[in-house]
Amino acid sequence: MMTETQYNEQVERAIAILKHDLPNLFQKDISYDIYSRDIFFRDPVNQFKGKFNYRIIFWTLRFHGRLFFTELDFDLHDVQPCGPDAIRADWTVRGTLRVPWKATIFFNGYSLYKLNSEALIYEHIDTWDRSPSTILKQFIQPGASYMP
């Protein structure tokens, strides 16, 4: 059993790793040692359980990011504890699709991470500021720099 000091140190470590990993998640893999083996993940289009599946979703994000986008960024705005057993990360995803009309994608969201008694993340829930269908509609709109 962890002491309160050990727990708080582990929470601070998780926050530091999230601050380090998230801005580059479309370019390189994240650290998985801050997550529990049975982590649960949900966003507006995915839901699953298990660290293996969690690793696959990040691999898929990088693969599709490189395939479909000329630029793709994850702007991390803030990572803070929100209660004794949770961390919140606020972010923006923005990118330029690999299409002649250079469509851009942009949406804001936040990730809520819940921590178990060992201060490992056992739940990751993403909330987006718009629906997946609204985000997909951005794919067919010309980007700001497109000149027909």
Side-chain angles (χ1 to χ4, degrees):
M1 183 90 176
M2 289 184 134
T3 67
E4 185 176 343
T5 300
Q6 290 170 321
Y7 182 88
N8 291 335
E9 287 172 356
Q10 180 63 20
V11 171
E12 289 303 318
R13 180 177 174 271
I15 289 170
I17 289 171
L18 290 168
K19 285 180 178 179
H20 176 267
D21 286 354
L22 294 178
N24 302 304
L25 69 85
F26 292 122
Q27 288 78 39
K28 63 182 185 174
D29 208 2
I30 63 168
S31 304
Y32 295 99
D33 62 338
I34 61 172
Y35 302 95
S36 71
R37 199 180 90 232
D38 62 344
I39 183 166
F40 173 77
F41 175 82
R42 185 179 74 223
D43 70 13
V45 295
N46 299 290
Q47 178 175 313
F48 56 81
K49 193 168 191 169
K51 196 183 278 191
F52 177 77
N53 293 325
Y54 198 67
R55 292 178 77 104
I56 295 295
I57 196 75
F58 283 100
W59 179 88
T60 302
L61 285 171
R62 287 189 309 279
F63 177 79
H64 287 113
R66 290 181 185 128
L67 186 63
F68 295 115
F69 292 86
T70 58
E71 293 177 42
L72 186 58
D73 294 297
F74 188 93
D75 299 325
L76 183 63
H77 305 300
D78 197 18
V79 181
Q80 294 288 330
C82 61
D85 64 348
I87 299 169
R88 178 178 164 143
D90 297 293
W91 44 262
T92 300
V93 171
R94 59 186 173 82
T96 305
L97 279 157
R98 196 179 299 279
V99 291
W101 57 93
K102 298 183 188 321
T104 57
I105 185 174
F106 179 94
F107 64 99
N108 297 297
Y110 66 89
S111 300
L112 186 60
Y113 302 95
K114 291 190 180 175
L115 305 164
N116 65 19
S117 62
E118 298 172 347
L120 293 174
I121 297 168
Y122 73 89
E123 184 177 273
H124 172 179
I125 307 294
D126 278 353
T127 301
W128 302 351
D129 70 346
R130 56 200 81 183
S131 70
S133 63
T134 301
I135 294 168
L136 281 174
K137 287 177 186 170
Q138 295 176 9
F139 288 29
I140 59 171
Q141 297 171 349
S145 63
Y146 180 66
M147 302 286 269

